[in-house]
Amino acid sequence: MNKSKQIILLAALTFTTVSSFAQQKAKTSFSTKKVIVYSTVKGSDKPMEETGTLTFKTLKQPVETQTLVFVDPTKTFQTFIGIGGAITDASAEVFAKLPKAAQQEFLTAYYDKKKGIGYTIARTNINSCDFSSDSYTYVAEHDKALKTFNIEHDRKFKIPLIKQATAAAGGKINLFVSPWSPPAWMKTNNSMLKGGSLLPAYNQSWANYYVKFIQAYEKEGMPIWGLTVQNEPMATQRWESCLYTAEEERDFIKNFLGPTLQKNNMASKKLIGWDHNRDLIYQRASTLLNDPQTAKYLWGIGFHWYETWTGSTQNFENLKRVHEAFPTKQLIFTEGCVEKFSLDRINDWSLGERYGFSMINDFNAGTAAWTDWNVLLDENGGPNHVGNFCFAPIHANVQTGKLMYTNSYYYIGHFSKFIKPGAKRIISSPSRSMLISTAFQNPDGSVVVVVMNNTDQKLPYQLWIQGNAAETESLPHSISTLIIK
């Protein structure tokens, strides 16, 4: 064998050895990592407490008598965008009534990445919604040309809170905006309330309205990340609402809103369709996204969790169908809250469990971003101009100036504090249905696994990854975040 062939053979053998070593190292690297556990447990007064550090031991082949949560970082799915909540008129009004110390506590609790739970998304309303103290718009009656458009109304409460929240989040927040209703005179029922539809004569004027709003907010120093077409377009509510069939929404996007955004240099804004419950989501998504001229304007499909009003359980399978059919479009949870506020239920553990159950299943179905409803409400579950009082993760007693944290705040925090924007969802697969779980790998390489137990049983289990397992347990009615690094 000549010298050049020897060199080539030696190089090939070296590459094979190094490659095999790298593959072996990748397979066994988790054996040397630690697992830090944070838990929130019913009956404990220390939510999100660091409860221990786990170590891995070799476990090549589990047996069926063992309870395990299998994690596989080699299989990656959607990119995580973030978690946040809505800054409504109600939230902003309650915030303004608080003493400075409570305001700072609130801002830190939600938006500080180290001391709080690190919200990175916010939503706010275009025109009034039910969580406003009254109905309002930004233009004078019958001003089709929108010459009188101004956002003076929002400068009192909403804009100051959005700016303070953005600063508390480190100077950047993904803010998206949603209309509940056009002005009454643009609608078939001549009312902002109780449904009705947009009159065809105002299609262009209404499309221009979104642009005017975005421009006005951005002039105030608040960049708009995205917008939804219409909040709950299939619900005739006693509060602000406006109906669109799937075909009407499709044609409004295709012929008016999409081109208008593009013409005004807003093609980069994340345009979100549907913005309603999971029950009808596939019919709406397929009608919008099977039309190429509409689909080209849409970034994603938004959804809520209120389909349970029918007696149904939450329709997570419908999300999977949309994600399977339209994998290039994003799924974003745009709103959810526990309805029918009662101060007597402020410590009800099921409040947080509803969040944890939804968030785990939504992420596992392909959801990239998750947005709670009101970030703050008062001790009555408002203000709300139609009496539709609801729960928020944090309530304030405006008489005493004190904040009240429901366990929903902590359940959300088990995701938002530890999963970082840019993370990739990976496989998390429990061997028992009593445990539910989701997992992400952060940009820094750390793995975040969220495990929830809403049963009355203590469930010992092992976290298994690449032939290594760490023993731990899930206490009754608990949620834990396990960070592997």
Side-chain angles (χ1 to χ4, degrees), residues 176-378:
F176 71 99
V177 298
S178 303
W180 268 244
S181 175
W185 48 270
M186 288 189 183
K187 295 175 65 185
T188 56
N189 65 345
N190 198 35
S191 172
M192 292 183 71
L193 316 182
K194 301 178 181 177
S197 299
L198 179 65
L199 288 163
Y202 295 108
N203 276 329
Q204 187 57 60
S205 186
W206 182 229
N208 294 341
Y209 204 99
Y210 298 76
V211 169
K212 288 277 193 181
F213 182 86
I214 292 170
Q215 288 172 337
Y217 262 52
E218 293 193 333
K219 190 176 180 181
E220 293 284 330
M222 298 175 293
I224 302 301
W225 173 77
L227 66 157
T228 73
V229 179
Q230 168 62 44
N231 180 75
E232 298 185 349
M234 286 304 295
T236 300
Q237 308 282 24
R238 66 180 185 272
W239 52 86
E240 287 82 347
S241 43
C242 183
L243 303 179
Y244 289 81
T245 66
E247 290 78 10
E248 287 168 343
E249 184 177 1
R250 177 197 65 198
D251 294 344
F252 178 64
I253 294 167
K254 175 169 57 178
N255 299 322
F256 298 97
L257 184 55
T260 300
L261 291 170
Q262 197 165 61
K263 186 171 68 177
N264 287 276
N265 300 313
M266 295 183 183
S268 63
K269 306 301 182 192
K270 311 308 193 237
L271 182 58
I272 300 161
W274 187 223
D275 199 8
H276 203 167
N277 297 329
R278 302 184 191 96
D279 49 3
L280 303 182
I281 191 170
Y282 188 83
Q283 185 264 345
R284 182 66 54 134
S286 61
T287 303
L288 300 179
L289 298 176
N290 281 332
D291 184 321
Q293 295 306 308
T294 304
K296 71 180 182 181
Y297 295 117
L298 280 166
W299 172 83
I301 300 295
F303 64 95
H304 301 181
W305 72 14
Y306 307 112
E307 67 268 19
T308 53
W309 74 270
T310 65
S312 169
T313 56
Q314 291 177 293
N315 296 138
F316 303 113
E317 287 298 315
N318 291 350
L319 299 181
K320 294 178 183 178
R321 300 295 85 81
V322 173
H323 191 57
E324 289 165 350
F326 307 101
T328 64
K329 300 300 182 181
Q330 302 292 337
L331 282 171
I332 174 171
F333 184 87
T334 47
E335 184 187 316
C337 72
V338 178
E339 300 162 287
K340 299 179 181 177
F341 178 81
S342 168
L343 192 58
D344 294 340
R345 291 185 61 208
I346 200 79
N347 295 315
D348 188 335
W349 202 257
S350 69
L351 299 177
E353 289 188 328
R354 180 166 181 182
Y355 278 82
F357 185 75
S358 177
M359 294 178 82
I360 287 172
N361 283 285
D362 288 338
F363 287 131
N364 287 343
T367 299
W370 210 94
T371 321
D372 183 37
W373 190 206
N374 299 280
V375 289
L376 178 67
L377 293 172
D378 66 18

Side-chain angles (χ1 to χ4, degrees), residues 90-140:
S91 295
E93 287 172 32
V94 173
F95 178 83
K97 294 176 182 176
L98 295 175
K100 290 294 182 185
Q103 289 181 343
Q104 188 56 55
E105 179 189 340
F106 166 85
L107 292 167
T108 299
Y110 270 126
Y111 301 103
D112 191 287
K113 292 176 174 60
K114 293 183 178 179
K115 299 177 183 177
I117 60 172
Y119 270 12
T120 57
I121 294 177
R123 182 193 191 204
T124 200
N125 46 295
I126 300 174
N127 292 336
S128 55
C129 65
D130 48 334
F131 281 92
S132 303
S133 290
D134 57 354
S135 290
Y136 66 86
T137 71
Y138 303 109
V139 293

